[in-house]
Amino acid sequence: MLQANTPLYYIGIDGGGTKCRARLKNRAGKVLGEGLGGASNIRLGLVTVWQNIMVAVDEALGQAQLSRADLPDIHIGMGLAGITTEMNAQVTIDSGPEFGSIHAASDAHAACLGAFSGRDGAILIAGTGSAGYAFVGGVGHAVGGWGFEVGDDGSAAGLGRAALRAALRGHDRIAPSSAFTRDVIASFGGNPADVIAFVTTATPSDFGTLAPMIMEAAEGGDPIATGLVRDVANDIGRYIARLRDIGASRIALVGGLAEPILPWLGEEARRLLTPAEQDAVEGALLLAHGADNGLNR
């Protein structure tokens, strides 16, 4: 962690696989500005991630009539997708601009800090990707969050990936097809080869853009879309049960898929959920104030 004198300002960053959000506050806790930048999963490369973070930071600074010349007076806390170890966090910090101090943790830890204002609890992020995290008795416990290639169960990206697979299997007549699977291929121009061209370079956030189409088809009763959404809901239910077993008595479901998937969850999973008190940016601001980053557990 880079140290400095008592800061004049604090910035919190919530960075995920699709975008990052910044919030600037003064010492009294007044919000002075907010900003939005691009994807901030550190697996995209730290040069790209810091560029996207600074787009959001610059927007927030501009609203407060500040500039990068004021960075030494600012302590920044960041919850970023892809951070899983103390080394990940330190390399991210070391590659950043000269803020007064930089604190970094996983996006899940920051979201958990925000959800329960720094107290014990658990969160399940169901966004572009997915990750569960419990903070119990001062100890952090990560569940999932292994990335798109081998994980992201219960996420928008995973849902999009499953829909493409179902559409291609239906096209090949080795599995059922429906209006939904045909619409999926039609959305790529009607040629399965165009689907393959898409996945060759697609990022998880690109896969996630299919989620609204899938949810709409499921709500309309399409049997294949309904099955895909139920599978995602079941995955989320398993994560929620695991977080309960770790010892979390309060669990918040957060992320872009949280609201649309809620009606599809089982009764027991819904019973365990509680609304988040604050968002992940507020958790990142707690990091900027020196809260534990939950790493090296």
Side-chain angles (χ1 to χ4, degrees), residues 88-104:
N88 291 156
Q90 192 60 53
V91 170
T92 302
I93 290 167
D94 291 343
S95 62
E98 293 296 322
F99 284 92
S101 74
I102 302 175
H103 305 249

Side-chain angles (χ1 to χ4, degrees), residues 18-19 124-131 148 151-163 204 207-219 225 228-237 239-240 252-265 270 273:
T18 301
K19 64 180 184 297
L124 178 58
I125 299 173
T128 299
S130 66
F148 182 69
D152 278 352
D153 307 320
S155 72
L159 183 58
R161 176 178 56 197
F207 281 90
T209 61
L210 296 170
M213 175 186 183
I214 302 163
M215 296 300 303
E216 182 179 357
E219 289 160 5
L228 295 175
V229 172
R230 284 179 176 160
D231 286 345
V232 166
N234 289 338
D235 287 336
I236 289 173
Y239 277 98
I240 291 171
L253 183 63
V254 299
L257 195 59
E259 184 175 348
I261 204 66
L262 191 60
W264 297 84
L265 297 180
R270 290 199 303 271
L273 295 178

Side-chain angles (χ1 to χ4, degrees), residues 178-203:
S178 69
F180 162 70
T181 61
R182 292 187 288 273
D183 286 346
V184 168
I185 292 180
S187 71
F188 288 90
N191 190 335
D194 293 328
V195 177
I196 303 308
F198 165 78
V199 303
T200 299
T201 59
T203 64

Side-chain angles (χ1 to χ4, degrees), residues 10-16 19-25 31 33-36 56-57 60 75-80 106-115 254 276-289:
Y10 297 90
I11 289 179
I13 299 290
D14 172 34
K19 64 180 184 297
C20 69
R21 297 180 296 152
R23 186 172 300 147
L24 169 68
K25 290 186 176 184
V31 176
E34 296 189 315
L36 189 66
V57 167
H75 285 202
I76 184 170
M78 307 183 301
L80 304 181
S106 70
D107 56 340
H109 183 71
C112 196
L113 288 177
V254 299
E277 295 174 7
Q278 302 180 92
D279 65 11
V281 185
E282 290 300 314
L285 282 161
L286 289 174
L287 288 171
H289 281 268

